[in-house]
């Protein structure tokens, strides 16, 4: 498979302070200190090919090359999901997409490593490539992976809650539609980067731009056969993640292995093209939706089918498949519901958990179909949604528990702010408004790997000067979680923010947090922080009460002071109270943890969908469509988000508007497209996203019901507001020019095509014609939750 070589058996280069080669030294020990090496990765040249031989001799002979590794050096498989342990640090048996990492070179500088990569000789045996769901269902050939439900079908799901046939029979109007949501990528400003250092004492430290240091820690320990106690992961400040830095990725494993071989720090910084190959972005999803309603717009039955193009590896794909069906009943009352979904392995970079993780795609279809139904039965887009939103403190037909829900208020506020009822169907030709709504998780109710341990913990220590050290494994990826952690502890203890010192995202120093994904951090970390701070506050207040000769109930904490509520002159500084508490109780430290309540339903697959709370959003888009060119200009977005209590309203508005930005990009231009079996546009020259010139005015309205389980009543804000934006734009385009674009992105050429069909008297629609004739397994039939909406008359 590979030439027998790890550490090159020749004199090592002697380098100056700038890393330039100045001569040779016989042994690595002759170097005064280990200088950092730079590594580059060789990607597979074919979409699907067996690797017959990797020749490294020419690369080894290049001055400045220190080590070369291939898949033979990293044979152990890993993955975040227990059911998808299918990745290795470098592919050993075969490449599964163009760019799939198969070898890595460490050298004295990046340029030398790049030259060495070009000198590696690979002998391939090309295999049939599967580039789409249709290919998977029609072509013969060696499967991409050696596991799955059926050939290249990775996962099949079929669930039915209640009797959907009876539900459709009870409907006055039944509609079927097909939709397609194109795949796209996260496009963080910062490319992925990592530095690994394996020291002489057998300790591996990895500094990585990751959202989930805990999962990287688990994966490296397994892939490299190192005891977890000898692995340390430090998540560096992340310049954008959006889900793309949630998986343990090959460059992290490769850098660690190269450092173990050389004993020197090794850095790998991916190029923008390599980030496109790392991917883990939005799944392309083909959808079929059937919904039955009564004359008043109430839903009697819903049936969804989804077909996911998953790429070459599992990633979070099993969860993504379930998520394409899980949340439809969380928004509106659905008394009977059937979901069938499948995910296919294809020879493309792996899809994964991009912002919203499997939920924007069905939301796009559902919200457009509701608009079509409203028009067909003669009621307004507002009423078909507003009248039938889910109730607070209720359950859905698929056993999901709802605590707080202010979606009705969100709808009312965006409709009023935008003047929706005065504009809809009443603006001049070319201008239109569209409405859509959504729901999303405040963290997943179950961990990715099954266990009964907390999802997050926070440790707090108080020193004798009143300083408060707060330690947590959570990762701030730009959403402001560090600020929220500091606010939460300061609020409970009654201290100023400058008294708080944070230590985060370091697996050696901080207690475990599962990571920044699924909009979980504020909810879960916040509750853990409140628990830890409350334990310490109790000790401090007891000591202060004893000193002031007052009952604890008579005291309050604020502005670094413990004082009598009725006489603020009777007070102690926080530092004085802390010293008294330490004298009374010993060193002041406490741990707080959070584990969601047990919410899974009584069926296999019920672990995807439950959340301790759901957020809700309503969005109105106003567009101007040029019928001559098809160009779409989004003039303004109004969005109302039920986030529970906004701990920092400015941060919540920022997260909401960031979601709007990303949703508009997916709606209008972003697509991860492939041509001739390889990525068509792996660069920012061709992959289009909104610039500041494209971004419309956004009016954000925060709706703040106090959730009974959130920290201070808070819920999520980082992902949910993205979901209603694409369908709101699609509905607005229809209102503007009377054509339906049932696939994303909505581009000018599609608008012109639909307008031409309209002029010919044909259906003015661009979108998929149908879905594959795929036989799903018999559905698992589950009795609806007893408190779920009932089918009237049933």
């Amino acid at each position: 498979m590979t030439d027998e070589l790890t550490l090159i058996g020749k004199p090592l280069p002697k380098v100056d302070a700038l890393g330039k080669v100045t001569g040779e030294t016989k042994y690595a020990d002759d170097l005064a200190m280990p200088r950092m090496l730079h590594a580059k990765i060789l990607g597979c040249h074919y979409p699907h090919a067996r690797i017959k031989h990797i020749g490294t001799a020419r690369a080894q002979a290049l001055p400045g090359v220190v080590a070369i590794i291939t898949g033979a050096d990293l044979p152990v498989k890993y993955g975040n999901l227990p059911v998808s342990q299918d990745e290795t640090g470098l592919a050993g048996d075969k490449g599964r997409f163009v760019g799939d990492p198969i070898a890595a070179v460490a050298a004295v500088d990046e340029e030398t490593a790049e030259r060495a990569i070009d000198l590696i000789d690979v002998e391939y045996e090309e295999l049939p490539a599967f580039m789409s769901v249709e290919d998977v269902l029609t072509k013969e050939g060696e499967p991409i992976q050696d596991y799955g439900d059926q050939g290249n079908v990775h996962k099949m799901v079929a669930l039915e809650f209640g009797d959907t046939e009876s539900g459709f029979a009870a409907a006055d109007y039944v509609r079927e539609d097909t939709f397609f949501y194109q795949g796209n990528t996260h496009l963080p400003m910062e490319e992925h980067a990592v530095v690994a250092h394996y020291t002489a004492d057998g300790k591996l430290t990895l500094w990585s731009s990751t959202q989930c240091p805990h999962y990287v820690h688990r994966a490296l320990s397994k892939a490299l056969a190192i005891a977890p106690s000898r692995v340390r992961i430090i998540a560096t400040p992340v310049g954008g993640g959006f889900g793309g830095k949630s998986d343990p990725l090959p460059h992290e494993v490769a850098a660690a292995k190269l450092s173990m071989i050389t004993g020197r720090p090794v850095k790998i910084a991916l190029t923008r093209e390599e980030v496109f190959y790392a991917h883990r972005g939005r799944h392309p999803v083909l959808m079929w939706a059937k919904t039955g309603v009564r004359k008043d717009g109430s839903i009697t039955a819903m049936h969804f089918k989804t077909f996911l193009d998953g790429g070459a590896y599992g990633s979070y794909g099993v969860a993504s498949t379930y998520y394409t069906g899980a949340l439809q009943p969380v928004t509106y009352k659905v008394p009977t519901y059937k979901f069938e979904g499948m995910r296919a392995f294809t020879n493309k970079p792996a899809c994964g958990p991009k912002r919203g993780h499997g939920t924007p795609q069905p939301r796009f279809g559902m919200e457009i179909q509701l608009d079509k139904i409203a028009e067909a039965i003669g009621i307004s887009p507002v009423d078909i949604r507003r009248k039938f939103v889910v109730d607070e403190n209720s359950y859905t037909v698929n056993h999901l528990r709802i605590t707080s829900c202010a979606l009705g208020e969100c709808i009312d506020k965006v409709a009023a702010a935008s003047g929706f009822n005065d504009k809809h169907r009443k603006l001049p030709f070319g201008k239109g408004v569209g409405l859509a709504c959504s729901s999303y998780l405040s963290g997943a109710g179950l961990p990715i790997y099954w266990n009964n341990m907390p999802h997050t913990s926070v440790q707090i220590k108080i020193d004798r000067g009143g300083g408060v050290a707060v330690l947590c494994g959570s990762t701030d990826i730009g959403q402001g979680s560090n600020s929220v952690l500091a606010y939460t502890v300061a609020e409970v203890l009654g201290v100023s923010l400058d008294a708080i010192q944070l230590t985060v995202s370091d697996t050696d120093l901080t207690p475990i947090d599962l990571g920044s994904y699924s909009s979980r951090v504020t909810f879960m970390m916040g509750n853990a922080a409140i628990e830890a701070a409350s334990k310490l506050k109790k000790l401090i207040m007891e000591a202060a009460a004893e000193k002031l000769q007052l009952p604890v109930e008579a005291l309050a904490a604020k502005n670094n002071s413990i004082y009598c509520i009725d006489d603020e002159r009777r007070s102690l500084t926080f530092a004085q109270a802390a010293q008294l508490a330490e004298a009374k109780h010993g060193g002041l430290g406490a741990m707080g943890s959070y584990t969601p309540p047990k919410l899974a339903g009584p069926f296999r697959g019920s672990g995807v969908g439950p959340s301790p709370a759901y957020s809700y959003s309503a969005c109105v888009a106003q567009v101007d469509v040029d019928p001559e060119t098809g160009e779409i200009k989004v003039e303004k977005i109004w969005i109302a988000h039920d986030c529970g209590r906004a701990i920092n309203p400015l941060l919540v508005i920022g997260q909401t508007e960031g979601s709007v930005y990303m949703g508009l990009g997916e709606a209008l231009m972003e697509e991860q497209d492939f041509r001739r079996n390889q990525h068509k546009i792996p660069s920012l020259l061709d992959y289009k996203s909104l610039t500041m010139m494209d971004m419309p005015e956004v009016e954000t309205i925060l709706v703040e019901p106090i959730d009974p389980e959130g920290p201070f009543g808070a819920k999520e804000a980082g992902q949910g507001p993205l979901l209603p934006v694409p369908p709101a734009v699609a509905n607005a385009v229809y209102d503007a020019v009377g054509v339906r674009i049932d696939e994303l992105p909505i581009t000018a050429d599609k608008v012109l095509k639909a307008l031409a069909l309209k002029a010919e008297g044909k259906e003015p629609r661009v979108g998929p014609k149908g879905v594959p004739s795929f036989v799903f397994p018999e559905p698992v039939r589950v009795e609806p939750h007893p408190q779920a909406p009932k089918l009237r008359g049933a």
Side-chain angles (χ1 to χ4, degrees):
M1 176 67 71
T2 180
D3 294 340
E4 234 177 78
L5 179 77
T6 50
L7 187 61
I8 308 304
K10 63 176 188 290
L12 293 173
K14 187 178 289 183
V15 295
D16 62 19
L18 297 176
K20 299 300 182 183
V21 177
T22 59
E24 290 184 348
T25 179
K26 186 64 178 173
Y27 303 108
D29 290 343
D30 290 342
L31 296 173
M33 60 183 294
R35 296 182 182 276
M36 185 172 74
L37 301 173
H38 295 263
K40 297 299 292 183
I41 292 173
L42 173 64
C44 181
H45 293 170
Y46 295 93
H48 197 194
R50 188 167 289 108
I51 302 169
K52 299 189 72 175
H53 179 74
I54 299 179
T56 58
R58 291 197 302 144
Q60 293 168 17
L62 184 68
V65 170
V66 180
I68 302 175
I69 57 173
T70 67
D73 299 295
L74 293 167
V76 180
K77 293 184 176 181
Y78 62 87
N80 266 357
L81 298 186
V83 296
S84 298
Q85 301 287 300
D86 60 4
E87 297 195 59
T88 54
L90 298 169
D93 56 344
K94 61 181 181 179
R96 292 171 172 85
F97 62 91
V98 173
D100 197 2
I102 62 172
V105 176
V108 294
D109 55 41
E110 195 169 22
E111 293 78 7
T112 301
E114 286 178 344
R115 290 198 299 274
I117 285 292
D118 292 336
L119 297 174
I120 295 176
D121 300 305
V122 185
E123 182 183 348
Y124 296 101
E125 178 188 342
E126 198 170 354
L127 300 170
F130 301 87
M131 299 304 295
S132 66
V133 172
E134 183 180 359
D135 279 358
V136 165
L137 300 180
T138 59
K139 285 178 65 172
E140 298 291 330
E142 181 177 312
I144 296 167
Q145 294 288 352
D146 59 4
Y147 75 102
D149 283 355
Q150 179 182 301
N152 281 318
V153 176
H154 178 201
K155 184 65 181 176
M156 294 185 286
V157 179
L159 297 166
E160 185 173 17
F161 304 90
D163 185 352
T164 51
E165 285 190 14
S166 296
F168 285 118
D172 296 312
Y173 178 77
V174 177
R175 183 173 187 95
E176 298 180 26
D177 291 287
T178 55
F179 304 94
F180 179 66
Y181 201 111
Q182 178 62 284
N184 48 68
T185 199
H186 312 82
L187 216 66
M189 292 179 67
E190 173 207 44
E191 296 100 333
H192 303 58
V194 63
V195 173
H197 190 198
Y198 187 77
T199 50
D201 62 353
K203 181 79 173 186
L204 173 65
T205 302
L206 192 90
W207 294 263
S208 183
S209 173
T210 177
Q211 297 175 228
C212 303
H214 175 59
Y215 293 144
V216 176
H217 183 269
R218 282 172 52 84
L220 282 188
S221 175
K222 180 181 181 184
L224 301 172
I226 304 176
S229 61
R230 308 307 295 161
V231 179
R232 179 184 185 185
I233 310 297
I234 301 172
T236 57
V238 177
F242 316 114
K245 298 170 183 174
S246 299
D247 271 303
L249 292 168
H251 66 281
E252 294 169 318
V253 183
K257 184 66 175 181
L258 286 166
S259 184
M260 292 173 68
I261 291 171
T262 64
R264 296 167 67 174
V266 175
K267 177 180 180 179
I268 298 179
L270 299 189
T271 65
R272 179 61 64 182
E273 180 176 349
E274 289 171 328
V275 173
F276 275 95
Y277 298 145
H279 194 41
R280 315 301 158 125
R282 186 83 70 217
H283 284 76
V285 179
L286 178 64
M287 295 162 280
W288 174 86
K290 179 180 178 181
T291 302
V293 299
R294 297 189 189 274
K295 292 177 182 177
D296 62 358
S298 59
I299 296 170
T300 62
M302 184 177 289
H303 183 183
F304 244 83
K305 293 182 183 179
T306 60
F307 300 81
L308 289 75
D309 182 338
Y313 294 97
S315 183
Y316 289 77
V318 170
S320 304
T321 307
Y322 279 102
Y323 272 128
T324 60
L327 297 193
Q328 281 85 316
V330 173
T331 317
Y332 312 109
K333 294 174 183 174
V334 179
T336 64
Y337 179 57
K338 186 176 183 180
F339 167 61
E340 294 169 308
M342 65 88 80
R343 182 182 192 261
F345 285 124
T346 57
N347 291 116
K348 303 175 184 176
C351 297
K354 188 184 176 186
R355 198 174 196 168
H357 192 189
T359 63
Q361 299 97 322
R363 180 60 50 186
F364 175 72
M366 182 179 181
E367 292 294 321
I368 294 174
Q369 189 174 67
L370 281 177
D371 251 40
K372 294 180 179 183
I373 291 171
E375 183 176 48
I377 64 176
I379 64 177
S380 79
V382 171
D383 288 344
I384 199 171
R385 294 170 171 85
R386 180 66 178 87
K387 290 181 179 179
F388 306 109
V389 300
V390 294
D391 295 325
E392 289 189 335
N393 303 311
S394 65
Y395 282 83
T396 68
V397 68
N398 58 334
H399 293 256
L400 300 179
R401 186 200 67 168
I402 295 163
T403 52
S404 60
C405 172
L407 179 56
E409 187 179 347
C410 290
I411 295 171
D412 292 342
K413 290 195 170 183
V414 291
S418 64
F420 183 86
N421 292 327
D422 296 328
K423 295 176 180 177
H424 187 250
R425 301 290 189 268
K426 299 170 185 174
L427 293 173
F429 184 77
K431 290 186 177 292
V433 290
L435 170 69
C437 301
S438 69
S439 55
Y440 196 66
L441 318 165
S442 295
L446 290 173
I448 283 174
Y449 63 98
W450 290 91
N451 67 83
N452 293 317
M453 293 177 283
H455 290 211
T456 189
S457 295
V458 173
Q459 182 180 9
I460 303 176
K461 299 182 289 185
I462 300 176
D463 65 37
R464 295 175 182 180
V468 180
V470 183
L471 298 88
C472 183
S474 61
T475 306
D476 195 320
I477 58 173
Q479 83 278 41
S481 62
N482 284 355
S483 297
V484 170
L485 179 58
Y487 301 153
T488 301
V489 174
E491 179 73 17
V492 173
L493 293 179
V495 300
S496 58
L497 284 174
D498 59 9
I500 307 291
Q501 177 63 48
L502 300 182
T503 300
V504 296
S505 311
D506 184 328
T507 59
D508 261 15
L509 302 181
T510 60
I512 284 175
D513 177 89
L514 296 186
S516 291
Y517 63 93
S518 292
S519 282
R520 58 176 297 282
V521 179
T522 290
F523 199 100
M524 299 190 182
M525 174 197 72
N527 275 320
I530 288 172
E531 180 181 281
S534 297
K535 290 177 181 178
L536 290 170
K537 183 177 182 180
K538 181 175 183 294
L539 302 180
I540 289 170
M541 297 299 271
E542 286 175 355
E546 188 175 297
K547 178 68 174 179
L548 296 171
Q549 299 183 336
L550 290 167
V552 170
E553 301 77 37
L555 298 179
K558 189 176 181 182
N559 296 329
N560 299 313
S561 175
I562 311 296
Y563 61 91
C564 175
I565 296 170
D566 295 328
D567 183 1
E568 294 189 16
R569 293 172 300 175
R570 301 179 67 181
S571 66
L572 297 168
T573 66
F574 179 80
Q576 289 171 332
Q579 291 168 14
L580 292 168
E582 185 178 343
K584 181 178 178 66
H585 300 288
L588 294 180
M591 186 79 78
S593 298
Y594 179 78
T595 304
K598 295 186 182 300
L599 298 169
F603 59 94
R604 183 179 176 86
S606 66
V608 177
S611 177
Y614 298 94
S615 70
Y616 293 90
S617 303
C619 175
V620 170
Q622 182 167 313
V623 303
D624 184 351
V625 182
D626 186 335
E628 298 297 321
T629 65
E631 182 182 1
I632 302 164
K633 180 181 180 182
V634 179
E635 296 182 324
K636 187 170 180 178
I637 294 287
W638 293 264
I639 188 157
H641 184 57
D642 163 12
C643 59
R645 173 173 279 156
I647 292 177
N648 180 329
L650 188 62
L651 285 179
V652 176
I653 290 169
Q655 284 293 288
T656 302
E657 294 183 358
S659 287
V660 170
Y661 167 83
M662 189 166 280
L664 286 173
E666 296 187 11
L668 297 173
M669 59 186 69
E670 294 191 41
E671 55 182 329
Q672 183 102 326
D673 205 2
F674 292 79
R675 178 176 56 193
R676 293 194 290 275
N677 293 348
Q678 61 184 329
H679 206 303
K680 179 182 176 183
I681 44 176
S683 78
L684 294 185
L685 291 173
D686 296 300
Y687 185 95
K688 301 302 181 187
S689 65
L690 267 67
T691 69
M692 61 186 298
M693 300 299 293
D694 303 307
M695 188 66 184
E697 178 186 355
V698 179
E699 183 175 329
T700 301
I701 303 164
L702 301 185
V703 178
E704 301 186 57
I706 303 303
D707 189 84
E709 297 192 16
F712 307 120
K715 298 193 289 187
E716 80 88 34
Q719 302 188 60
L722 182 153
L723 275 61
V725 175
V729 171
N731 289 335
V733 168
Y734 178 72
D735 188 46
V737 292
V739 301
R740 283 287 179 190
I741 312 298
D742 288 346
E743 65 181 37
L744 293 183
I746 305 171
T747 53
D749 60 312
K750 294 175 184 177
V751 173
L752 290 177
K753 182 178 179 180
L755 286 170
L757 291 169
K758 183 180 180 183
E760 295 169 8
K762 298 177 182 177
E763 182 185 14
R765 173 188 178 270
V766 171
K769 304 296 184 185
V771 295
S773 134
F774 179 77
V775 179
F776 286 94
E778 274 295 304
V780 175
R781 291 180 170 84
V782 183
E783 282 296 312
H785 192 279
Q787 298 177 42
K790 302 293 191 294
L791 180 63
R792 298 201 308 267

